[in-house]
Amino acid sequence: MKMMNYYKIKIIIYFFMSRSLLKLLFLFITAVPIWAQKKYSFDQICERASVQTASKDIPKALKVADSLYMSAQHPLDKVKSLLLSAELYHSAGEFKKSICYGENAHSLLSQISDPEWFSRVNEFLAKEYRLVGLYQRSKKYTLQGIEAAKGITDSQKKSEVLGLLNQEMAYYEMEQGSYPDAIKYIELSLNAFGNDNIQDNGRAIAASYQILGDVYFKLKDYVISESCYRKAESLLKENCCILGLVYNGLGGIRLKQKNWKDAEIYLKKAENLADSSRSLKFKKAVYSNINDYYEGTGDTFKASLYAVKYVRAYDSLTARSREFAMRNPDTPAKPNKKSTQISIVKNTAIIVLIVSLIGIVIFFKTKQKKQRSKFRNIIRTQLQMISSRSESSPLKAENPDFSNISVEEVDDRAGGVDKKRNESLMTSETEAKLLELLDVFEKGELYNNKNMSLSFLAAELNTNTKYLSYVINQHKSADFKTYVNRLRINYIVDKLINDEKYRQYKISILADECGFSSHSKFASIFKAVTDFSPSAYIKYLDAENQSGKDVHIRENT
């Protein structure tokens, strides 16, 4: 009996030992693939968050990216997770955060020796800084990326990165107006992508052709430009910003050809994509072309609507560029330890230099103010000369075109007999009161109202048209239409001098701003008052601000 119990116990022990051995064996067999899975899971999670999750839920994808960064053990993994976050913020239109994460990834590049990721981080930052208008900073990262890409061993990845980086150089050269160099970089980009990888890099290759179409459009070679746009269009199978730019380019070509029907078709397609896009540059380009379309077809109301849209996009883009310019200056070099041993003489020299620089800045600022004051005095002198000429013959003898351009097509003239009669009927108190009201009128902006007329203003001032016409003729040395036009030009001149953004606006927008019904009327009256066309006047101001010297622009009249 004891012997049987002994064998039972032995069998039970053997059974449990066998199960343990089987478990150990199972764990050993599965340990290798589990370890291998962990090795590659980081890249797989990055790709899943970037492609799958981001398309459905960007906040969720960002949480995944943050957790990847927290769990990353190596600098390269940290770079990958930071760049993933940067790309996700770019997709969400949050450029501040996208650049911040991109710069953090760039700061870790010194800890890795992977030329592919070094190039990718630089290419991303180059694109982001270009989109916010910091082209010099974009160029710096582009050149760093091109240099690093030379060390990529995988030929396919090397070609892809070099194709994108050469696109960035083409953008930079376009911004500088170096169109032949831009063409050279686009050709390098297309050569890098090659013909074998069109399916994999279809959108990137389409972007190269779209840029090339823009370059030839700038060169006014519309045949080649359209050919490039068509190649880009054939490569794009779904709606995207690049396709919108292609449609806008084709619409621009039709505008140059005055083919209004086809221009409308392409620009409507571009507008549909622009309205749903976060790209301010894309919106600005499309709204500019649509404004030109309505100007060309004579629909001034719709032209004004798109002028407003254009200005909003322009102002937002300018504000964003200025903000990034202030927030992202190039990092100054850190002083070394020996800097603490600088002698008193050197410190004194530095202080003197700083004081001198401040003095120079103050000097030029003061000089600039004096120049602007001088410029305004020139305008005032011109206006006084025009006023004095109007006493004898209100601008008809010397500039008949100006006299024929009126605020409204009404008869607001008062003959000499009427003047005397009005003078006898109107009391001195009424005349003085009207002058006070006109002073208030001149300080406001009511004269920019497009409905402005002699009867309109008389109603506003609670008087009659005869009294008002008499006071303006006698005390303002001009008839009503010349008086109002002069106020409008004074208003826009003041804006051009004191607010630089007005110099970036189209002439049609300036005309609309101060109440003129057309670009041509505004330009004619501006030239009559200032002796400059609006575009020449703006160039004068820009040249004065840049050089700090008296600049004289002569026009062929």
Side-chain angles (χ1 to χ4, degrees):
M1 187 71 181
K2 289 181 178 179
M3 184 64 74
M4 289 179 65
N5 289 335
Y6 171 76
Y7 281 113
K8 285 181 179 179
I9 293 169
K10 191 172 182 180
I11 289 169
I12 292 169
I13 293 171
Y14 179 75
F15 175 74
F16 280 109
M17 286 181 67
S18 298
R19 290 187 64 183
S20 299
L21 286 170
L22 286 171
K23 287 180 180 179
L24 288 171
L25 183 62
F26 175 77
L27 289 172
F28 178 75
I29 292 170
T30 57
V32 173
I34 288 172
W35 177 81
Q37 185 180 358
K38 286 183 178 179
K39 180 179 179 181
Y40 295 105
S41 63
F42 192 93
D43 289 342
Q44 290 171 352
I45 296 171
C46 276
E47 184 177 356
R48 192 181 303 114
S50 177
V51 178
Q52 297 175 359
T53 313
S55 62
K56 300 175 183 177
D57 191 345
I58 288 180
K60 183 178 178 181
L62 285 167
K63 288 181 180 178
V64 174
D66 288 339
S67 65
L68 284 171
Y69 178 78
M70 297 301 294
S71 63
Q73 300 296 319
H74 304 289
L76 179 57
D77 289 340
K78 289 183 180 292
V79 168
K80 291 178 181 178
S81 62
L82 287 169
L83 191 60
L84 172 60
S85 295
E87 289 171 342
L88 291 169
Y89 278 118
H90 168 86
S91 299
E94 297 187 43
F95 286 91
K96 292 180 190 176
K97 291 183 178 179
S98 71
I99 288 179
C100 179
Y101 276 87
E103 288 285 5
N104 287 339
H106 191 271
S107 67
L108 295 175
L109 293 178
S110 60
Q111 301 178 29
I112 67 173
S113 57
D114 190 315
E116 178 191 347
W117 283 95
F118 196 98
S119 300
R120 289 189 184 280
V121 171
N122 279 281
E123 186 273 326
F124 175 82
L125 285 171
K127 177 184 67 177
E128 295 301 282
Y129 281 116
R130 167 176 59 81
L131 290 174
V132 300
L134 299 179
Y135 294 98
Q136 289 297 331
R137 195 169 180 83
S138 173
K139 180 186 178 183
K140 182 185 78 171
Y141 284 116
T142 303
L143 295 176
Q144 287 181 11
I146 290 174
E147 186 62 29
K150 295 176 182 178
I152 300 175
T153 54
D154 187 315
S155 60
Q156 185 174 349
K157 291 179 179 178
K158 181 178 181 178
S159 297
E160 179 187 340
V161 172
L162 281 174
L164 294 172
L165 287 164
N166 279 300
Q167 279 183 5
E168 291 302 326
M169 282 305 300
Y171 278 121
Y172 173 79
E173 296 299 345
M174 278 186 67
E175 186 64 25
Q176 303 303 309
S178 303
Y179 300 124
D181 289 335
I183 293 172
K184 180 187 72 175
Y185 282 112
I186 288 298
E187 289 173 349
L188 289 173
S189 172
L190 291 170
N191 289 336
F193 288 129
N195 296 320
D196 299 331
N197 299 321
I198 291 178
Q199 187 174 359
D200 296 332
N201 296 315
R203 182 173 290 195
I205 296 172
S208 289
Y209 280 118
Q210 179 265 314
I211 299 167
L212 197 58
D214 287 350
V215 173
Y216 280 110
F217 183 88
K218 295 286 187 183
L219 293 171
K220 298 182 180 180
D221 193 334
Y222 304 125
V223 175
I224 298 180
S225 176
E226 181 165 355
S227 174
C228 294
Y229 287 139
R230 294 297 183 190
K231 287 180 182 177
E233 184 182 16
S234 67
L235 292 167
L236 297 168
K237 306 303 180 185
E238 57 185 19
N239 289 336
C240 60
C241 184
I242 299 169
L243 184 60
L245 290 169
V246 168
Y247 288 143
N248 189 57
L250 291 169
I253 291 173
R254 296 297 179 268
L255 288 178
K256 295 295 183 183
Q257 297 168 343
K258 299 189 183 303
N259 184 345
W260 309 115
K261 183 178 179 181
D262 288 349
E264 182 182 18
I265 293 171
Y266 287 121
L267 292 177
K268 284 296 179 186
K269 290 181 179 180
E271 183 184 12
N272 290 336
L273 294 171
D275 287 342
S276 60
S277 172
R278 292 189 179 94
S279 173
L280 292 171
K281 295 191 75 172
F282 177 28
K283 290 177 184 287
K284 186 167 77 75
V286 172
Y287 296 150
S288 175
N289 269 353
I290 296 177
N291 171 261
D292 290 344
Y293 165 78
Y294 284 118
E295 288 281 358
T297 56
D299 192 335
T300 55
F301 176 73
K302 288 187 177 179
S304 299
L305 292 179
Y306 282 94
V308 171
K309 286 189 173 185
Y310 170 88
V311 171
R312 285 175 182 168
Y314 174 85
D315 287 345
S316 299
L317 190 62
T318 303
R320 190 173 70 183
S321 299
R322 286 176 180 171
E323 183 178 359
F324 275 100
M326 291 186 292
R327 286 176 176 267
N328 293 280
D330 288 327
T331 305
K334 294 182 180 179
N336 55 34
K337 294 180 180 179
K338 293 182 179 179
S339 63
T340 57
Q341 302 174 356
I342 297 176
S343 65
I344 297 175
V345 175
K346 289 184 178 180
N347 284 330
T348 305
I350 291 171
I351 292 171
V352 170
L353 179 61
I354 292 171
V355 172
S356 300
L357 288 173
I358 293 172
I360 291 171
V361 170
I362 293 172
F363 171 76
F364 279 107
K365 287 285 185 183
T366 305
K367 186 176 180 181
Q368 189 179 51
K369 287 182 180 179
K370 288 181 178 178
Q371 287 175 336
R372 288 189 175 185
S373 178
K374 179 181 177 182
F375 202 54
R376 292 190 189 97
N377 288 334
I378 291 172
I379 300 303
R380 291 193 187 99
T381 302
Q382 291 174 335
L383 294 176
Q384 289 171 0
M385 290 172 63
I386 293 171
S387 296
S388 62
R389 289 199 299 263
S390 66
E391 291 180 1
S392 56
S393 178
L395 297 174
K396 288 183 180 180
E398 297 186 28
N399 203 328
D401 292 335
F402 180 44
S403 63
N404 292 329
I405 301 171
S406 60
V407 175
E408 58 166 357
E409 297 302 325
V410 296
D411 187 6
D412 60 348
R413 294 168 295 179
V417 177
D418 289 335
K419 287 182 183 180
K420 292 179 181 179
R421 182 161 48 82
N422 288 332
E423 187 175 13
S424 62
L425 292 174
M426 182 169 50
T427 65
S428 58
E429 290 81 5
T430 301
E431 187 172 349
K433 181 62 178 178
L434 269 179
L435 281 172
E436 289 179 8
L437 292 173
L438 284 177
D439 287 340
V440 174
F441 169 70
E442 291 170 5
K443 292 174 183 176
E445 296 180 10
L446 182 62
Y447 46 78
N448 290 332
N449 190 313
K450 288 187 177 180
N451 296 320
M452 178 55 59
S453 66
L454 183 63
S455 56
F456 178 91
L457 183 57
E460 287 290 322
L461 302 183
N462 198 24
T463 186
N464 60 58
T465 56
K466 291 184 177 181
Y467 283 4
L468 180 59
S469 179
Y470 170 78
V471 170
I472 290 173
N473 275 273
Q474 287 295 101
H475 297 279
K476 303 300 179 181
S477 301
D479 57 11
F480 174 74
K481 57 191 175 185
T482 304
Y483 170 64
V484 171
N485 284 337
R486 210 158 53 195
L487 290 174
R488 289 175 170 182
I489 298 302
N490 278 343
Y491 168 83
I492 211 67
V493 163
D494 186 67
K495 291 291 185 184
L496 290 171
I497 292 173
N498 294 300
D499 194 340
E500 291 185 5
K501 74 177 182 182
Y502 276 80
R503 301 176 207 163
Q504 308 298 327
Y505 293 167
K506 291 186 174 184
I507 303 303
S508 58
I509 296 173
L510 297 177
D512 188 72
E513 171 79 12
C514 58
F516 286 96
S517 59
S518 72
H519 170 290
S520 58
K521 285 186 179 182
F522 169 73
S524 298
I525 295 174
F526 193 100
K527 179 73 179 289
V529 174
T530 66
D531 288 335
F532 291 98
S533 69
S535 57
Y537 193 90
I538 290 168
K539 287 180 182 178
Y540 187 104
L541 287 173
D542 287 337
E544 180 190 70
N545 288 343
Q546 290 174 7
S547 66
K549 298 178 181 179
D550 289 335
V551 178
H552 300 280
I553 298 176
R554 293 184 177 274
E555 284 197 309
N556 295 323
T557 56

